[in-house]
Amino acid sequence: MLRALERFAPLPLQEDYDNAGLQVGLTEAEVSGALLCLDVTEKVVDEAEKKGCNLIVAHHPLIFRRLACVSNQDYVQRTVYKAIRKGIAIVAMHTNLDNAVGGVNYKIAEHMKLGDVKILGDKHTYENADGTYPYGSGVVGELPAEMAAVDFIQLLKREFGVKSLQANQLLSRKIRRVALCGGAGSFLLRAAIAAGADAFVTGEMGYHEFFGHEQELQICVIGHYQSEQYTCELLQELLAKVCPDVRTTIVETNTNPIIYI
């Protein structure tokens, strides 16, 4: 199953800071069921056990930085220990799935009904025995019809289930061309401008990065978790094609650590 996932989004597609791939468990274990999630926490491991899943496929790596030990000092160590004790394997498909053609950003674009979707950032190519993989960060595409900035923001709120989002000054011209990057995508703001985008949508952006773009393009920051929430849907569709005999379940536990009051 791990091999099937990596055929779609090979690990070399990940950024050099990342730690995608097998996190916990044995590669030869037979999969009884796969729980699909964004983040792995102790509650997610409990849910996997309750639902008879001995594999968790997550977007965000549980083990992102080197572990000096496995004890009860923080949630990462406790989660690793619990997963090992319960015989549950953990796999992360992170920036390799972000960067893959047809990956996370394409799924976001699908929910925004964008057409003519292309890679936004620098385009690269990776080759292995399975084929040639074009990849890159973010995507840019076209809305079915141009819309006013306020209507575009309402579209985002509706499609991603957000009550509020961060935006710069409302754009006076209509929006048609949209650039996006799920998660922390502010590094692609300049690429969005260079691509002639009317709007740039991402999950995180710093305060000072909003300055100087009034009426240049509409910036919309919808939240990291919210922007990537459909990754589980993508993983389920992918596994249904490559491992149709494996039972998959989308997690019910909400792991978003940010609340809006």
Side-chain angles (χ1 to χ4, degrees):
M1 184 171 177
L2 179 58
R3 174 70 177 142
L5 287 168
E6 292 178 7
R7 274 198 299 270
F8 178 81
L11 292 182
L13 271 59
Q14 69 181 306
E15 302 295 334
D16 56 10
Y17 61 79
D18 203 5
N19 187 39
L22 182 66
Q23 305 266 291
V24 175
L26 305 175
T27 57
E28 67 271 17
E30 184 175 346
V31 178
S32 63
L35 185 68
L36 314 176
C37 62
L38 278 186
D39 313 284
V40 188
T41 64
E42 293 173 89
K43 288 184 178 179
V44 170
V45 174
D46 289 337
E47 182 177 338
E49 181 186 36
K50 181 179 179 180
K51 293 180 174 178
C53 297
N54 65 346
L55 173 65
I56 295 171
V57 181
H59 184 43
H60 297 138
L62 172 63
I63 303 174
F64 195 73
R65 297 176 180 84
R66 184 178 68 90
L67 288 179
C69 66
V70 177
S71 65
N72 63 349
Q73 292 181 9
D74 57 43
Y75 92 91
V76 173
Q77 293 183 39
R78 290 192 299 271
T79 304
V80 169
Y81 178 76
K82 177 172 280 191
I84 293 172
R85 187 162 53 85
K86 294 181 180 295
I88 296 173
I90 299 171
V91 169
M93 299 289 286
H94 192 210
T95 54
N96 55 322
L97 193 59
D98 287 330
N99 292 336
V101 172
V104 174
N105 291 308
Y106 287 79
K107 177 55 69 173
I108 297 170
E110 178 186 317
H111 277 269
M112 293 171 61
K113 298 179 174 59
L114 299 185
D116 192 25
V117 178
K118 298 182 176 71
I119 292 170
L120 173 62
D122 293 337
K123 188 174 180 179
H124 307 281
T125 303
Y126 168 72
E127 294 184 17
N128 64 13
D130 295 320
T132 301
Y133 296 81
Y135 69 98
S137 301
V139 298
V140 60
E142 306 278 337
L143 288 166
E146 62 181 16
M147 58 175 58
V150 66
D151 295 327
F152 179 69
I153 287 171
Q154 290 303 317
L155 167 70
L156 294 176
K157 292 171 71 174
R158 182 173 63 252
E159 287 298 320
F160 295 91
V162 295
K163 294 181 179 179
S164 63
L165 55 79
Q166 293 179 311
N168 62 342
Q169 182 185 87
L170 291 182
L171 202 65
S172 59
R173 70 175 188 272
K174 296 291 183 70
I175 293 172
R176 183 69 184 270
R177 189 166 176 80
V178 178
L180 67 90
C181 181
S186 62
F187 68 98
L188 286 171
L189 177 60
R190 289 293 175 188
I193 295 168
D198 301 307
F200 177 60
V201 181
T202 190
E204 289 184 37
M205 189 173 242
Y207 171 81
H208 293 285
E209 294 173 296
F210 282 83
F211 282 96
H213 303 295
E214 297 81 8
Q215 298 307 314
E216 185 173 33
L217 82 170
Q218 187 69 64
I219 297 171
C220 300
V221 180
I222 63 176
H224 195 126
Y225 181 94
Q226 290 87 343
S227 71
E228 296 183 328
Q229 63 185 286
Y230 297 117
T231 303
C232 296
E233 178 184 301
L234 170 65
L235 287 168
Q236 190 167 55
E237 291 170 356
L238 172 61
L239 289 170
K241 292 177 182 177
V242 298
C243 299
D245 296 332
V246 173
R247 177 175 57 88
T248 60
T249 304
I250 293 177
V251 72
E252 294 181 52
T253 302
N254 185 331
T255 57
N256 189 0
I258 299 171
I259 62 173
Y260 299 84
I261 300 175

